[in-house]
Amino acid sequence: MSALLYQELGIFDCVVLKHIKDDSFLIHFANDNWFRSLFPDNHVGDEVVLNDTPYYLVDFLYDAKEFWRLNSNGRINSGIWSEQTGRKVLRLEAAAISKDEEHFLVLFNLENEYNKRQNTLQIARELLISNDKVLEQHEVIRERIEALAVQRETQGNVSLPVKEVIESAEFGVAIIDHDLQLVEQNPALFRLFEMLPGDVGRPAALLLELCQRQFPEFQRILETRSRWSGELYWMKPPSLSRWMQLTVSPVESETEGHYWLLLVTDISREKYLQQSNEKLTYFDVLTNLPNRQYYWQCLENAIEVGQSFFAMQLDIKQLKSVNEVFGFTVGDILLKELAERLRQLVSPNDVLARIGGNEFAVILRETQQEKCEQIARKMISDICAPYYVMEQQYKCSVGVRIGVSHFPYDSVVAEELMKYADLASFSIKQGGKSAVQFYSRELKESSLRRMELEAALRDAIDNGEFELFLQPILDLDTGKISQAEALIRWRRPGIGLIFPDEFIPIAEKSGLIIAIGKWVIQEASRLLAVLHQQDQFIKLSLNLSPSQVSDRSLLGFIQRHIEANHVDPTYLELELTENVLVNDFERINHFLSEVRKMGVSVAIDDFGTGYSSLSYLPKLPIDFIKIDRSFIGELIDSDSNRAIVLAILAMANSLKLGVIAEGVEVESQKAFLREHHCQSAQGYLFSRPVPFDEFCKLLRG
């Protein structure tokens, strides 16, 4: 075979060895530039024996010979390795090739490809670092503005010095109200869009327009008051264009509704750096999966083909907790492993992409919903299996919510398919188990009903439609009421009593939980004062949501209402679920320590159902744990449940924590708990939650 033909085939910079027998090869073709450094005493046409060096090549021969024994046309590759030859380092790759029962070993010099790959990796590292810095700057500004909002509410004479905070920011900042009307914007935002200070309102309006046009899920973000981060592209004819990193955050104000904080940074340089390398343009740096831009193109191409497919959106849960507890390095390794698990579940015809920090998407070319659901449940199983990273130093777990839309039945528009999959994913109960949800017209109608209920919920706060019911908690030794759990109820005019399971998730998603939670604290303090006046000194426990714990004004609010009602703080208890503990350990630890300084006690609610909180118990200032009702319900008939309850009681005893069993409904459960020294219990065996007047009668009885 001539050198000219090799050149035409694009394999000029190579060495071709024809296999003769065993480890013997005939040097068929060689590039003199580096061939002699690898085989110094040989020439083209010589026979060479590979039984010692080069070492990596000799090792590859084992696989090559197995392949050649098959006598089928094709090739296998070794991958790139580095070969030291004197002072020179060669970047080589070997291929074992079979053609018409002849066998060849080809060595390629991939110095340029290697350098290009290393350059790509360096660019990727720089982009990851740059993105982290941008998000960190955004987070600093967000926290400062939230702190100022709290200061304004707690000290009426302090005005919100927004201008002082944002004027010097190097990136664009806009603050808009709940009606999307401009409140404030800084000079950097005008510069970002090449506008003059006289163009009042135009930068913020353009920003919102870009969001609504480029991100299908943006309307859902506004409706649910969620935090969000993504990239926008803006072009100003004839030649100006910019890429921007946008962070959108709700800022809650108890007295003036909520605001939106929009933080924008020009990342055009980083994007152009990406576009100089085609792979980085369309693929995620960390997982090597297609990115949002490429996924959207694939979605539109699939629509043009016209064959049925499912668009899946996967929202990974607890990733933030993994990053906070174990560090971002562990979080990144987990994401790579997660991506690899998903790769094993999709076919070569499907498209798997990473479209956001904790979001993945799949174009699943299936026609049957039943088959799609099977794959989705397999995804849930594999994603939720433990991750052992850093040479098994750390064991981590995450969850996933999967939303699915179906082409062409749900929509024939890429934007709507993504929006519907996002809506389906978001409809799965926050903080609940991992699950899959298919989009449906009923789901959309349910979303509209939720919006209507949210509007009514806002009115309920203003109109005083809430009421606290109390459920007694009994001391199992004395049989007397020792404390009570305060549970909110909503008496909606014209409809009747609405239970928290229906409206609390909406309050959580909309941000109304902050105002509702403060009402509960205020009302519980008032009821505690009434009980004190009646010489009834029992403890009232209140549930706190994750959003409330993150509210910087909460500690001061609790202190003020304890003092205003002249109640003994030792008769007030705050309950948090296990999931709250792992959300932000340092902040939770500080919060609980300050609560305990006031004299207020702390309980962990629904114990045994959360994530990884067991290791936190000795480190956090906790007084009680409440055994979840799911363990008590089958306590008598289930050996495993009995074992779990006994283990919790033993652990609590060693940590000197009190224990309350929830959901006690029959005498046999009560007898078992009392026999094994559980101090307290609550449940329908004793009483349902009742209005305050009825509770007072129970106390007197």
Side-chain angles (χ1 to χ4, degrees), residues 473-517:
I473 297 174
L474 269 67
D475 184 307
L476 290 178
D477 285 334
T478 65
K480 294 182 179 180
I481 297 174
S482 58
Q483 64 185 90
E485 182 177 359
L487 300 164
I488 191 170
R489 299 291 186 265
W490 178 13
R491 292 193 184 274
R492 190 175 177 187
I495 294 180
L497 204 62
I498 298 179
F499 289 85
D501 285 350
E502 186 173 354
F503 67 85
I504 288 298
I506 295 173
E508 283 277 9
K509 293 177 182 178
S510 65
L512 292 172
I513 192 66
I514 300 295
I516 292 174

Side-chain angles (χ1 to χ4, degrees), residues 262-313:
L262 285 71
L263 308 170
V264 200
T265 298
D266 185 351
I267 58 168
S268 300
R269 176 185 169 276
E270 288 81 358
K271 273 294 177 181
Y272 294 146
L273 196 60
Q274 280 186 336
Q275 290 166 358
S276 67
N277 186 299
E278 184 178 357
K279 186 175 181 181
L280 290 179
T281 304
Y282 295 109
F283 288 81
D284 172 58
V285 171
L286 182 66
T287 62
N288 203 29
L289 292 175
N291 59 18
R292 177 185 281 264
Q293 182 180 353
Y294 189 37
Y295 177 78
W296 195 306
Q297 291 180 12
C298 293
L299 199 57
E300 291 180 330
N301 291 339
I303 290 171
E304 288 182 10
V305 172
Q307 295 180 349
S308 173
F309 68 85
F310 291 91
M312 310 174 73
Q313 182 157 316

